[in-house]
Amino acid sequence: MKETTKNILNELIEKYPVLADCERDIEAAFISLLHTYQRGNKLLLCGNGGSAADCEHIVGELMKSFKKKRPISTEEKAVLSKTEEGRAIADVLEGGLKAISLTSHLSLSTAFANDKQPLAVFAQQLYVLGDKGDTLLCISTSGNSKNCVYAATVARLKGMFVIALTGEKESALSACSDVCVRVPETETYKVQELHLPVYHALCAMLEEEWF
């Protein structure tokens, strides 16, 4: 880990000292995500309600610039510059890290929920989209959301790494994940308030390391 990357984690703990007990798990989650991208794999995310919005938020931070500029390569720009359409986007495109929010597939999720089993929608998506070496991030304030637990079960089947972001109580997700960041709150909105700085730090750390 770069010193500048470590500084981002240090700044998180300084600003949110309540997260001090989570520092080791946050670092472990980062290392797992970094290794995922180094292997050429991707991140998939699932959650419900506000946590579904968090999944979308994380994808937004990873798939485009967050804190740093991420220009595409000179070689790619040269290829694009050969056409008028390419020149129009050569300075617009940015580097990104592959991330898919499973909460976004409205037609698929409603069809599967209607035809099969609503709680197994994320599991179905993981079964089709997940590859060995990918990482699944489950965000659940309780840690017991059945659809997230089912997704984690399929992630295991597919040879994926599982990270959970939950509240402080032990839960089904803390039991079945490889890394669980259990922020020290139990009330839903308070857990969510701590989830945001944690995943912002993870996104900033990945960007610092990768770009």
Side-chain angles (χ1 to χ4, degrees), residues 167-195:
E168 70 177 351
K169 294 181 179 179
E170 291 188 8
S171 63
L173 282 175
S174 67
C176 71
S177 60
D178 295 289
V179 174
C180 185
V181 180
R182 295 162 51 191
V183 301
E185 287 289 353
T186 56
E187 196 169 357
T188 297
Y189 81 94
K190 292 181 179 179
V191 174
Q192 291 170 335
E193 286 175 350
L194 289 178
H195 280 178

PDB file of all heavy atoms in Angstrom, residues 167-195:
ATOM      1  N   GLY A 167     -24.028  -3.113  10.543  1.00  0.00           N
ATOM      2  CA  GLY A 167     -23.981  -2.486  11.850  1.00  0.00           C
ATOM      3  C   GLY A 167     -23.144  -3.340  12.796  1.00  0.00           C
ATOM      4  O   GLY A 167     -22.539  -4.339  12.392  1.00  0.00           O
ATOM      5  N   GLU A 168     -23.137  -2.957  14.086  1.00  0.00           N
ATOM      6  CA  GLU A 168     -22.180  -3.561  15.012  1.00  0.00           C
ATOM      7  C   GLU A 168     -22.524  -4.986  15.460  1.00  0.00           C
ATOM      8  O   GLU A 168     -21.644  -5.729  15.902  1.00  0.00           O
ATOM      9  CB  GLU A 168     -22.000  -2.677  16.239  1.00  0.00           C
ATOM     10  CG  GLU A 168     -23.195  -2.607  17.171  1.00  0.00           C
ATOM     11  CD  GLU A 168     -22.900  -1.760  18.403  1.00  0.00           C
ATOM     12  OE1 GLU A 168     -21.726  -1.394  18.597  1.00  0.00           O
ATOM     13  OE2 GLU A 168     -23.845  -1.458  19.154  1.00  0.00           O
ATOM     14  N   LYS A 169     -23.777  -5.400  15.337  1.00  0.00           N
ATOM     15  CA  LYS A 169     -24.158  -6.716  15.839  1.00  0.00           C
ATOM     16  C   LYS A 169     -23.646  -7.832  14.930  1.00  0.00           C
ATOM     17  O   LYS A 169     -23.556  -7.676  13.717  1.00  0.00           O
ATOM     18  CB  LYS A 169     -25.676  -6.821  15.962  1.00  0.00           C
ATOM     19  CG  LYS A 169     -26.288  -5.908  17.016  1.00  0.00           C
ATOM     20  CD  LYS A 169     -27.791  -6.096  17.089  1.00  0.00           C
ATOM     21  CE  LYS A 169     -28.408  -5.200  18.156  1.00  0.00           C
ATOM     22  NZ  LYS A 169     -29.886  -5.370  18.220  1.00  0.00           N
ATOM     23  N   GLU A 170     -23.313  -8.963  15.535  1.00  0.00           N
ATOM     24  CA  GLU A 170     -23.007 -10.141  14.741  1.00  0.00           C
ATOM     25  C   GLU A 170     -24.262 -10.526  13.958  1.00  0.00           C
ATOM     26  O   GLU A 170     -25.389 -10.333  14.415  1.00  0.00           O
ATOM     27  CB  GLU A 170     -22.553 -11.288  15.630  1.00  0.00           C
ATOM     28  CG  GLU A 170     -21.196 -11.040  16.276  1.00  0.00           C
ATOM     29  CD  GLU A 170     -20.680 -12.267  17.009  1.00  0.00           C
ATOM     30  OE1 GLU A 170     -21.305 -13.340  16.877  1.00  0.00           O
ATOM     31  OE2 GLU A 170     -19.664 -12.144  17.707  1.00  0.00           O
ATOM     32  N   SER A 171     -24.049 -11.085  12.774  1.00  0.00           N
ATOM     33  CA  SER A 171     -25.180 -11.305  11.884  1.00  0.00           C
ATOM     34  C   SER A 171     -24.881 -12.456  10.933  1.00  0.00           C
ATOM     35  O   SER A 171     -23.788 -13.023  10.931  1.00  0.00           O
ATOM     36  CB  SER A 171     -25.442 -10.033  11.065  1.00  0.00           C
ATOM     37  OG  SER A 171     -24.314  -9.750  10.234  1.00  0.00           O
ATOM     38  N   ALA A 172     -25.864 -12.763  10.105  1.00  0.00           N
ATOM     39  CA  ALA A 172     -25.664 -13.808   9.097  1.00  0.00           C
ATOM     40  C   ALA A 172     -24.553 -13.420   8.133  1.00  0.00           C
ATOM     41  O   ALA A 172     -23.746 -14.260   7.728  1.00  0.00           O
ATOM     42  CB  ALA A 172     -26.973 -14.040   8.339  1.00  0.00           C
ATOM     43  N   LEU A 173     -24.478 -12.133   7.772  1.00  0.00           N
ATOM     44  CA  LEU A 173     -23.434 -11.701   6.845  1.00  0.00           C
ATOM     45  C   LEU A 173     -22.058 -11.677   7.507  1.00  0.00           C
ATOM     46  O   LEU A 173     -21.056 -12.012   6.862  1.00  0.00           O
ATOM     47  CB  LEU A 173     -23.758 -10.318   6.271  1.00  0.00           C
ATOM     48  CG  LEU A 173     -24.795 -10.295   5.153  1.00  0.00           C
ATOM     49  CD1 LEU A 173     -25.129  -8.864   4.755  1.00  0.00           C
ATOM     50  CD2 LEU A 173     -24.320 -11.083   3.937  1.00  0.00           C
ATOM     51  N   SER A 174     -21.997 -11.310   8.771  1.00  0.00           N
ATOM     52  CA  SER A 174     -20.693 -11.325   9.437  1.00  0.00           C
ATOM     53  C   SER A 174     -20.168 -12.748   9.557  1.00  0.00           C
ATOM     54  O   SER A 174     -18.955 -12.979   9.549  1.00  0.00           O
ATOM     55  CB  SER A 174     -20.768 -10.654  10.816  1.00  0.00           C
ATOM     56  OG  SER A 174     -21.555 -11.406  11.723  1.00  0.00           O
ATOM     57  N   ALA A 175     -21.093 -13.705   9.602  1.00  0.00           N
ATOM     58  CA  ALA A 175     -20.692 -15.109   9.727  1.00  0.00           C
ATOM     59  C   ALA A 175     -20.230 -15.702   8.405  1.00  0.00           C
ATOM     60  O   ALA A 175     -19.376 -16.593   8.381  1.00  0.00           O
ATOM     61  CB  ALA A 175     -21.848 -15.935  10.283  1.00  0.00           C
ATOM     62  N   CYS A 176     -20.783 -15.214   7.282  1.00  0.00           N
ATOM     63  CA  CYS A 176     -20.490 -15.863   5.999  1.00  0.00           C
ATOM     64  C   CYS A 176     -19.575 -15.051   5.094  1.00  0.00           C
ATOM     65  O   CYS A 176     -19.229 -15.517   4.002  1.00  0.00           O
ATOM     66  CB  CYS A 176     -21.787 -16.195   5.263  1.00  0.00           C
ATOM     67  SG  CYS A 176     -22.679 -14.774   4.615  1.00  0.00           S
ATOM     68  N   SER A 177     -19.161 -13.862   5.516  1.00  0.00           N
ATOM     69  CA  SER A 177     -18.296 -13.036   4.676  1.00  0.00           C
ATOM     70  C   SER A 177     -16.825 -13.288   4.998  1.00  0.00           C
ATOM     71  O   SER A 177     -16.478 -13.768   6.083  1.00  0.00           O
ATOM     72  CB  SER A 177     -18.631 -11.554   4.859  1.00  0.00           C
ATOM     73  OG  SER A 177     -18.449 -11.165   6.205  1.00  0.00           O
ATOM     74  N   ASP A 178     -15.967 -12.946   4.058  1.00  0.00           N
ATOM     75  CA  ASP A 178     -14.525 -13.027   4.300  1.00  0.00           C
ATOM     76  C   ASP A 178     -14.052 -11.856   5.152  1.00  0.00           C
ATOM     77  O   ASP A 178     -13.174 -12.004   5.997  1.00  0.00           O
ATOM     78  CB  ASP A 178     -13.773 -13.029   2.963  1.00  0.00           C
ATOM     79  CG  ASP A 178     -14.077 -14.263   2.142  1.00  0.00           C
ATOM     80  OD1 ASP A 178     -13.618 -15.352   2.523  1.00  0.00           O
ATOM     81  OD2 ASP A 178     -14.784 -14.136   1.117  1.00  0.00           O
ATOM     82  N   VAL A 179     -14.629 -10.704   4.904  1.00  0.00           N
ATOM     83  CA  VAL A 179     -14.338  -9.500   5.698  1.00  0.00           C
ATOM     84  C   VAL A 179     -15.665  -8.823   5.994  1.00  0.00           C
ATOM     85  O   VAL A 179     -16.482  -8.622   5.089  1.00  0.00           O
ATOM     86  CB  VAL A 179     -13.419  -8.523   4.942  1.00  0.00           C
ATOM     87  CG1 VAL A 179     -13.260  -7.221   5.733  1.00  0.00           C
ATOM     88  CG2 VAL A 179     -12.061  -9.142   4.667  1.00  0.00           C
ATOM     89  N   CYS A 180     -15.879  -8.463   7.247  1.00  0.00           N
ATOM     90  CA  CYS A 180     -17.094  -7.731   7.619  1.00  0.00           C
ATOM     91  C   CYS A 180     -16.703  -6.473   8.391  1.00  0.00           C
ATOM     92  O   CYS A 180     -16.069  -6.561   9.445  1.00  0.00           O
ATOM     93  CB  CYS A 180     -18.025  -8.601   8.456  1.00  0.00           C
ATOM     94  SG  CYS A 180     -19.614  -7.803   8.834  1.00  0.00           S
ATOM     95  N   VAL A 181     -17.081  -5.331   7.850  1.00  0.00           N
ATOM     96  CA  VAL A 181     -16.861  -4.061   8.542  1.00  0.00           C
ATOM     97  C   VAL A 181     -18.132  -3.746   9.318  1.00  0.00           C
ATOM     98  O   VAL A 181     -19.151  -3.377   8.736  1.00  0.00           O
ATOM     99  CB  VAL A 181     -16.542  -2.929   7.546  1.00  0.00           C
ATOM    100  CG1 VAL A 181     -16.326  -1.616   8.294  1.00  0.00           C
ATOM    101  CG2 VAL A 181     -15.316  -3.279   6.706  1.00  0.00           C
ATOM    102  N   ARG A 182     -18.068  -3.921  10.624  1.00  0.00           N
ATOM    103  CA  ARG A 182     -19.226  -3.730  11.498  1.00  0.00           C
ATOM    104  C   ARG A 182     -19.095  -2.383  12.190  1.00  0.00           C
ATOM    105  O   ARG A 182     -18.421  -2.240  13.196  1.00  0.00           O
ATOM    106  CB  ARG A 182     -19.307  -4.857  12.523  1.00  0.00           C
ATOM    107  CG  ARG A 182     -19.572  -6.223  11.903  1.00  0.00           C
ATOM    108  CD  ARG A 182     -19.213  -7.371  12.840  1.00  0.00           C
ATOM    109  NE  ARG A 182     -19.812  -7.222  14.152  1.00  0.00           N
ATOM    110  CZ  ARG A 182     -19.500  -7.962  15.215  1.00  0.00           C
ATOM    111  NH1 ARG A 182     -18.575  -8.910  15.100  1.00  0.00           N
ATOM    112  NH2 ARG A 182     -20.082  -7.769  16.365  1.00  0.00           N
ATOM    113  N   VAL A 183     -19.763  -1.361  11.616  1.00  0.00           N
ATOM    114  CA  VAL A 183     -19.652  -0.026  12.207  1.00  0.00           C
ATOM    115  C   VAL A 183     -20.412   0.006  13.529  1.00  0.00           C
ATOM    116  O   VAL A 183     -21.425  -0.687  13.692  1.00  0.00           O
ATOM    117  CB  VAL A 183     -20.167   1.066  11.243  1.00  0.00           C
ATOM    118  CG1 VAL A 183     -19.366   1.046   9.939  1.00  0.00           C
ATOM    119  CG2 VAL A 183     -21.657   0.927  10.955  1.00  0.00           C
ATOM    120  N   PRO A 184     -19.936   0.791  14.494  1.00  0.00           N
ATOM    121  CA  PRO A 184     -20.469   0.732  15.861  1.00  0.00           C
ATOM    122  C   PRO A 184     -21.771   1.508  16.074  1.00  0.00           C
ATOM    123  O   PRO A 184     -21.845   2.428  16.885  1.00  0.00           O
ATOM    124  CB  PRO A 184     -19.327   1.315  16.690  1.00  0.00           C
ATOM    125  CG  PRO A 184     -18.674   2.294  15.776  1.00  0.00           C
ATOM    126  CD  PRO A 184     -18.752   1.670  14.418  1.00  0.00           C
ATOM    127  N   GLU A 185     -22.802   1.120  15.345  1.00  0.00           N
ATOM    128  CA  GLU A 185     -24.157   1.647  15.549  1.00  0.00           C
ATOM    129  C   GLU A 185     -25.137   0.530  15.261  1.00  0.00           C
ATOM    130  O   GLU A 185     -24.806  -0.448  14.576  1.00  0.00           O
ATOM    131  CB  GLU A 185     -24.442   2.839  14.618  1.00  0.00           C
ATOM    132  CG  GLU A 185     -23.729   4.129  14.993  1.00  0.00           C
ATOM    133  CD  GLU A 185     -24.270   4.777  16.264  1.00  0.00           C
ATOM    134  OE1 GLU A 185     -25.295   4.293  16.794  1.00  0.00           O
ATOM    135  OE2 GLU A 185     -23.679   5.774  16.717  1.00  0.00           O
ATOM    136  N   THR A 186     -26.374   0.679  15.774  1.00  0.00           N
ATOM    137  CA  THR A 186     -27.407  -0.323  15.533  1.00  0.00           C
ATOM    138  C   THR A 186     -28.642   0.259  14.856  1.00  0.00           C
ATOM    139  O   THR A 186     -29.355  -0.452  14.151  1.00  0.00           O
ATOM    140  CB  THR A 186     -27.840  -0.992  16.854  1.00  0.00           C
ATOM    141  OG1 THR A 186     -28.282   0.019  17.776  1.00  0.00           O
ATOM    142  CG2 THR A 186     -26.678  -1.770  17.464  1.00  0.00           C
ATOM    143  N   GLU A 187     -28.916   1.545  15.065  1.00  0.00           N
ATOM    144  CA  GLU A 187     -30.085   2.168  14.451  1.00  0.00           C
ATOM    145  C   GLU A 187     -29.799   2.422  12.978  1.00  0.00           C
ATOM    146  O   GLU A 187     -28.719   2.925  12.627  1.00  0.00           O
ATOM    147  CB  GLU A 187     -30.428   3.469  15.167  1.00  0.00           C
ATOM    148  CG  GLU A 187     -31.823   3.978  14.863  1.00  0.00           C
ATOM    149  CD  GLU A 187     -32.244   5.105  15.786  1.00  0.00           C
ATOM    150  OE1 GLU A 187     -31.477   5.455  16.711  1.00  0.00           O
ATOM    151  OE2 GLU A 187     -33.345   5.651  15.570  1.00  0.00           O
ATOM    152  N   THR A 188     -30.755   2.092  12.125  1.00  0.00           N
ATOM    153  CA  THR A 188     -30.516   2.056  10.681  1.00  0.00           C
ATOM    154  C   THR A 188     -29.850   3.317  10.149  1.00  0.00           C
ATOM    155  O   THR A 188     -28.803   3.242   9.480  1.00  0.00           O
ATOM    156  CB  THR A 188     -31.838   1.810   9.934  1.00  0.00           C
ATOM    157  OG1 THR A 188     -32.360   0.523  10.315  1.00  0.00           O
ATOM    158  CG2 THR A 188     -31.633   1.843   8.430  1.00  0.00           C
ATOM    159  N   TYR A 189     -30.428   4.485  10.392  1.00  0.00           N
ATOM    160  CA  TYR A 189     -29.875   5.688   9.778  1.00  0.00           C
ATOM    161  C   TYR A 189     -28.496   6.025  10.331  1.00  0.00           C
ATOM    162  O   TYR A 189     -27.647   6.578   9.619  1.00  0.00           O
ATOM    163  CB  TYR A 189     -30.845   6.872   9.934  1.00  0.00           C
ATOM    164  CG  TYR A 189     -30.804   7.582  11.260  1.00  0.00           C
ATOM    165  CD1 TYR A 189     -30.015   8.722  11.447  1.00  0.00           C
ATOM    166  CD2 TYR A 189     -31.575   7.129  12.338  1.00  0.00           C
ATOM    167  CE1 TYR A 189     -29.992   9.386  12.669  1.00  0.00           C
ATOM    168  CE2 TYR A 189     -31.539   7.787  13.555  1.00  0.00           C
ATOM    169  CZ  TYR A 189     -30.754   8.915  13.713  1.00  0.00           C
ATOM    170  OH  TYR A 189     -30.722   9.570  14.930  1.00  0.00           O
ATOM    171  N   LYS A 190     -28.244   5.657  11.597  1.00  0.00           N
ATOM    172  CA  LYS A 190     -26.928   5.909  12.179  1.00  0.00           C
ATOM    173  C   LYS A 190     -25.873   4.977  11.584  1.00  0.00           C
ATOM    174  O   LYS A 190     -24.717   5.379  11.390  1.00  0.00           O
ATOM    175  CB  LYS A 190     -26.992   5.765  13.694  1.00  0.00           C
ATOM    176  CG  LYS A 190     -27.823   6.841  14.381  1.00  0.00           C
ATOM    177  CD  LYS A 190     -27.828   6.670  15.898  1.00  0.00           C
ATOM    178  CE  LYS A 190     -28.651   7.764  16.565  1.00  0.00           C
ATOM    179  NZ  LYS A 190     -28.689   7.609  18.045  1.00  0.00           N
ATOM    180  N   VAL A 191     -26.272   3.738  11.302  1.00  0.00           N
ATOM    181  CA  VAL A 191     -25.355   2.819  10.620  1.00  0.00           C
ATOM    182  C   VAL A 191     -25.023   3.369   9.234  1.00  0.00           C
ATOM    183  O   VAL A 191     -23.852   3.417   8.826  1.00  0.00           O
ATOM    184  CB  VAL A 191     -25.990   1.417  10.483  1.00  0.00           C
ATOM    185  CG1 VAL A 191     -25.104   0.507   9.635  1.00  0.00           C
ATOM    186  CG2 VAL A 191     -26.230   0.803  11.860  1.00  0.00           C
ATOM    187  N   GLN A 192     -26.049   3.836   8.522  1.00  0.00           N
ATOM    188  CA  GLN A 192     -25.837   4.366   7.180  1.00  0.00           C
ATOM    189  C   GLN A 192     -24.938   5.605   7.195  1.00  0.00           C
ATOM    190  O   GLN A 192     -24.138   5.812   6.273  1.00  0.00           O
ATOM    191  CB  GLN A 192     -27.177   4.690   6.529  1.00  0.00           C
ATOM    192  CG  GLN A 192     -27.992   3.441   6.205  1.00  0.00           C
ATOM    193  CD  GLN A 192     -29.410   3.761   5.773  1.00  0.00           C
ATOM    194  OE1 GLN A 192     -29.966   4.807   6.114  1.00  0.00           O
ATOM    195  NE2 GLN A 192     -30.004   2.850   5.010  1.00  0.00           N
ATOM    196  N   GLU A 193     -25.061   6.406   8.244  1.00  0.00           N
ATOM    197  CA  GLU A 193     -24.226   7.603   8.341  1.00  0.00           C
ATOM    198  C   GLU A 193     -22.745   7.261   8.477  1.00  0.00           C
ATOM    199  O   GLU A 193     -21.881   8.044   8.067  1.00  0.00           O
ATOM    200  CB  GLU A 193     -24.680   8.467   9.525  1.00  0.00           C
ATOM    201  CG  GLU A 193     -25.984   9.208   9.269  1.00  0.00           C
ATOM    202  CD  GLU A 193     -26.487   9.963  10.484  1.00  0.00           C
ATOM    203  OE1 GLU A 193     -25.925   9.753  11.597  1.00  0.00           O
ATOM    204  OE2 GLU A 193     -27.429  10.754  10.338  1.00  0.00           O
ATOM    205  N   LEU A 194     -22.445   6.090   9.040  1.00  0.00           N
ATOM    206  CA  LEU A 194     -21.055   5.654   9.149  1.00  0.00           C
ATOM    207  C   LEU A 194     -20.618   4.840   7.930  1.00  0.00           C
ATOM    208  O   LEU A 194     -19.418   4.793   7.621  1.00  0.00           O
ATOM    209  CB  LEU A 194     -20.851   4.838  10.429  1.00  0.00           C
ATOM    210  CG  LEU A 194     -20.914   5.630  11.731  1.00  0.00           C
ATOM    211  CD1 LEU A 194     -20.752   4.707  12.932  1.00  0.00           C
ATOM    212  CD2 LEU A 194     -19.841   6.722  11.761  1.00  0.00           C
ATOM    213  N   HIS A 195     -21.545   4.213   7.254  1.00  0.00           N
ATOM    214  CA  HIS A 195     -21.184   3.483   6.047  1.00  0.00           C
ATOM    215  C   HIS A 195     -20.614   4.426   4.984  1.00  0.00           C
ATOM    216  O   HIS A 195     -19.648   4.083   4.298  1.00  0.00           O
ATOM    217  CB  HIS A 195     -22.405   2.758   5.469  1.00  0.00           C
ATOM    218  CG  HIS A 195     -22.716   1.472   6.165  1.00  0.00           C
ATOM    219  ND1 HIS A 195     -23.800   0.675   5.822  1.00  0.00           N
ATOM    220  CD2 HIS A 195     -22.085   0.819   7.177  1.00  0.00           C
ATOM    221  CE1 HIS A 195     -23.823  -0.396   6.590  1.00  0.00           C
ATOM    222  NE2 HIS A 195     -22.796  -0.329   7.420  1.00  0.00           N
TER     223      HIS A 195
END
